[in-house]
Each structure stands twice: as C-alpha cells, then as structure tokens.
Amino acid sequence: MKYDVIIVGGGASGMTAAITAARRGCSVLVLERMDKLGKKILATGNGRCNLTNSFLDQDCYRGEKPGFPYSMLEVFGTADTLDFFQSMGMLAADVGGYYYPASMQASTVVDTLAGEMRQLGVHIKTGMEAGKIQKIKDTFQVICGTEKYRSRNIILAAGGTAQEKLGSNGSGYTLARAMGHSVTDVFPALVALESGETFFKQLAGVRNVCALSVYVNGQKTAEQKGEVQFAKYGISGIPVFQVSRYAIDALRKKKRVEVVLNLMPEQITLKELMDYFRKVGAYKTAEEFLQGFLNKKLAFAVLSRLKIRPALSVKDLTQKELRQIRSMIQKFTVPISGYKGFDMAQVTAGGVSVREVTEGTLESKIHRGLYFAGELLDVDGTCGGYNLQWAFTSGYIAGKQIEAGNQ
C-alpha cells in the first residue's frame, strides 16, 4: 500500500499531523519507535500536561531564527488548540492563563489524540523505528528493519534528544541529514544549572523566590523571577529553566557565566528593615538576626561567604558588614560551571535548520513532499506550554499540506 503520508514519530506533533491529514481524507501511517504513543506528553506538567498558554510575545521562542514560528502560531494558536481538543471531546481548564486538560491528567491528552487517530482510520505501528528514508521519483520509501513502507509525503516528527527514555533519541536528525538537511548544534534547554561552589551542599532543599539575572562575560543576557530550588549541584526551578538556554549556549562557547540572585526581590526597603530588626533584636546573634527574614540555610550561607561569624552579636556588626550583608542578599552571585544533560532536560535547543524549511508550510526546500514538525526543528520555547503549543501548531501546519491522492 502506498500512503498519502507517513509520519515518523507518534508524539504531540506527529499525532496532530496525523489527525489533521486524516480529517482531509488522506491515508496515514504513523511509525513510533516506542511501545506506546505520546510517552513524553505523559511526563509534562508534572503529569498534568500544560497544553498551551494564553500569553505570547516575541521572547517565548528561541532558535537560529526566533521569529520563525510566529506567523504559523497566528494560523493555529492557543484558541485553535483548545478548539481542536474540544472537537475531540476534551475540555481544557484555564489556570491563570496556563491551560491543562480539565481532568488534570496528561493521560487524557494522549488518550484523546490516540482515540481520534484510530477513529479516523490512521494506521499506527509502535515499536517501529525508521532507519532509512529513500526518495524514488515521487515516492518516499521508509525502511524499518526488514519492513518497507511507501508514501507520497513524509512528515518527520521524531523529536529531539531530550529524555531518550521517553522516545527522543536524536534519530530524526540522522534521517534529516541523510535527506540533505543541516542540523544546528543541539544542546539541553529548560534544565538545571550546575555550580562548583561548596556552599550548595548546605543549601540543598531550599526553595526561595528570587529575581535572577544571567551574566555572560559580565554582560546581562537574561533575567527571570520565581521560585529557585537550591540543590547540592547548583540551582533549579522554573526561572532557572527559563534562562538556562542562554547560560548553556555561553558555556559551550567557553564564556564566563554567572547567575546573580536577589534573595529578597520584593523587599525594596531592605536597609530600613534590617535597621529596625537589628534594633528590636539587639540580643540576637548575627545568624538569628538574619533568620528573621531569610531562610536559615541561606542566612548561614550569606554569613559564611562574607566570613562573618554566625555567633557574633548583632550589636557588634559594623556598618560595613551590614552593607556587605545587604549587598550579598541582593546580589548572591553563583558561578555557573555546567548543566544537567539531555536526560534531565525538558526540551532540545537547536535542530533541523529552519532556513531550509518553508515558513508557513514546513515543507523542505530540498525535497518536495518532505515536511518537518515539532522539536526536531530548531525551535524551542520557554516553560508554560509553549513547546507543546509549537508541537500542535507545527503538526497541524504540516498535516494540512497533505492532499488525498493515489494509493
């Protein structure tokens, strides 16, 4: 049988592409290397699956051409995604602009997509990895071990390299390169950052709302605010994930990277607060004094880094030491020496060069009938449903290009 389209990858973008093409009357085959569809979806949003977000600006996506996704997001954006799922009988819930399935279960998303595919007659083969793609005249041939499948079109939606245990092993890049496409450098994104500083061993487990800025060779390149999680290796949490791409890109270029944390971003009158607390708590030690407004472990770290004895009476702190403490609280500098790998990353930065893909259709500029979707492309979003939104958008765009034709 010759299909109208073979989709390599049964994740969010691949399933969306399959449904979109099948609804147009096309014959569709989905090849998924894992034993089940949508495994990575099940792990998103702490098992709740943050589908999309009501907020969108020019900083939500990154890549060699950061503006590449935006015209397509206008065609299929947040409202379209919500309508898409509602058309399949799934309701989404708005949680402060972040959309989740109303069931708050990621499995609902996978079951909804897979159920629609089966209802539309999409052929699904799991445990089937595409090893090679050949183009013979106007026909693509996909070879999976001893099996061969033919189609008029191919959509590569095999994901990146983040979290291989959930399906993304980088095989899509190999297939794309074999078809003549370039792949930009790939590296982990939305991931924790490592520091060699010894004080992190004492800070492990602390969570603190911070304003943080990334400095590369002394120049600020990114900033975020939110709950930072301290670990024995360094820093984690959503605001760290958001800026990790900039830090990692710089580290890979052998540049000096520091993250500067304001441990009390809401306290704009820190001097007055400290003066008052010092007055009413004159009987306290320096450590007890700081614990009045700062996490105990952070208080100890601040004093240790300044070489101020924790047991020193707060009355004996000099004005210079008080200024140093204020400065350390507002500019708690963390040298960044590394980052967690793909197995811990939420998404891959880099991928198939979008310069070789037609904006608006996602068709290859090298081979007619070859399309790309999802994380395989050099498009990565921030936390908050943006990567899944890109998966749904790109899957819809690619699937819409397929026409029913000869079998």
Side-chain angles (χ1 to χ4, degrees):
M1 177 179 180
K2 182 177 178 181
Y3 294 91
D4 290 319
V5 63
I6 293 175
I7 300 171
V8 180
S13 61
M15 288 193 282
T16 304
I19 291 166
T20 304
R23 284 179 172 180
R24 295 169 59 80
C26 300
S27 56
V28 181
L29 170 65
V30 174
L31 301 173
E32 168 55 47
R33 64 179 291 267
M34 302 299 283
D35 60 345
K36 294 179 181 178
L37 297 171
K39 277 198 168 183
K40 195 169 182 180
I41 295 175
L42 297 175
T44 61
N46 291 320
R48 298 191 305 166
C49 188
N50 182 190
L51 291 166
T52 185
N53 200 301
S54 61
F55 174 78
L56 181 68
D57 72 9
Q58 61 182 0
D59 296 323
C60 291
Y61 291 95
R62 296 89 177 260
E64 191 179 29
K65 289 180 65 178
F68 180 80
Y70 289 94
S71 64
M72 288 170 281
L73 287 162
E74 290 180 358
V75 175
F76 193 90
T78 299
D80 304 288
T81 295
L82 300 178
D83 288 344
F84 177 64
F85 279 98
Q86 195 156 319
S87 75
M88 297 182 287
M90 192 198 90
L91 187 66
D94 181 352
V95 182
Y98 294 75
Y99 287 93
Y100 298 85
S103 68
M104 291 295 169
Q105 293 179 294
S107 58
T108 301
V109 177
V110 176
D111 292 344
T112 299
L113 291 167
E116 183 72 4
M117 289 167 63
R118 293 187 177 96
Q119 186 274 137
L120 289 167
V122 173
H123 292 198
I124 302 167
K125 292 187 179 292
T126 56
M128 192 70 72
E129 183 168 3
K132 187 176 182 180
I133 298 176
Q134 300 171 326
K135 189 172 186 184
I136 305 169
K137 295 183 179 180
D138 64 344
T139 299
F140 291 94
Q141 182 169 261
V142 182
I143 301 173
C144 306
T146 59
E147 302 293 326
K148 295 180 181 179
Y149 304 98
R150 298 185 307 141
S151 68
R152 297 188 303 112
N153 301 279
I154 293 284
I155 297 176
L156 283 182
T161 55
Q163 300 187 36
E164 181 177 350
K165 62 183 180 294
L166 299 178
S168 300
N169 69 344
S171 59
Y173 301 138
T174 302
L175 294 172
R177 288 191 183 100
M179 297 298 287
H181 277 270
S182 304
V183 177
T184 68
D185 286 345
V186 296
F187 54 92
L190 303 186
V191 73
L193 299 174
E194 299 176 336
S195 176
E197 295 296 309
T198 57
F199 58 77
F200 277 104
K201 293 179 181 178
Q202 284 73 47
L203 289 177
V206 172
R207 293 171 180 256
N208 192 78
V209 174
C210 303
L212 71 160
S213 302
V214 176
Y215 285 84
V216 175
N217 289 345
Q219 297 293 315
K220 185 191 289 188
T221 60
E223 57 186 359
Q224 280 287 319
K225 181 180 175 183
E227 186 180 75
V228 173
Q229 299 172 23
F230 293 83
K232 61 183 180 181
Y233 58 79
I235 51 177
S236 185
I238 289 177
V240 176
F241 294 167
Q242 301 287 47
V243 301
S244 62
R245 190 191 206 280
Y246 302 101
I248 294 169
D249 189 40
L251 286 173
R252 287 166 53 84
K253 295 174 181 175
K254 310 300 182 184
K255 296 181 180 181
R256 177 170 53 89
V257 179
E258 295 174 318
V259 170
V260 178
L261 303 172
N262 183 342
L263 302 177
M264 297 181 66
E266 303 298 336
Q267 187 53 251
I268 59 175
T269 57
L270 183 58
K271 182 182 184 303
E272 289 82 354
L273 176 75
M274 287 177 61
D275 288 346
Y276 175 71
F277 277 13
R278 187 183 183 218
K279 181 179 178 181
V280 299
Y283 59 90
K284 296 183 179 183
T285 65
E287 185 175 17
E288 291 168 341
F289 163 62
L290 287 187
Q291 287 174 22
F293 48 89
L294 202 61
N295 177 281
K296 181 183 292 188
K297 290 184 178 181
L298 284 173
F300 185 80
V302 167
L303 293 172
S304 297
R305 295 187 76 181
L306 292 172
K307 294 181 169 55
I308 297 173
R309 288 188 301 110
L312 181 69
S313 172
V314 70
K315 299 193 304 291
D316 295 331
L317 286 172
T318 67
Q319 287 300 316
K320 179 181 179 181
E321 288 171 329
L322 288 168
R323 286 196 299 271
Q324 289 175 328
I325 290 171
R326 288 198 303 271
S327 179
M328 178 68 74
I329 290 172
Q330 294 174 320
K331 295 181 179 179
F332 192 89
T333 301
V334 179
I336 302 300
S337 57
Y339 47 93
K340 292 300 181 183
F342 282 114
D343 58 330
M344 299 290 288
Q346 292 186 24
V347 70
T348 306
V352 174
S353 175
V354 296
R355 299 184 187 280
E356 300 169 357
V357 177
T358 302
E359 184 176 330
T361 67
L362 296 178
E363 186 174 21
S364 164
K365 293 180 179 179
I366 299 172
H367 294 287
R368 186 175 181 182
L370 172 63
Y371 300 85
F372 298 92
E375 191 178 341
L376 185 65
L377 285 160
D378 180 17
V379 175
D380 62 287
T382 59
C383 290
Y386 297 103
N387 289 291
L388 270 178
Q389 178 60 63
W390 170 241
F392 299 136
T393 294
S394 57
Y396 171 82
I397 294 292
K400 189 181 177 184
Q401 311 310 314
I402 310 303
E403 300 286 348
N406 300 324
Q407 299 298 305

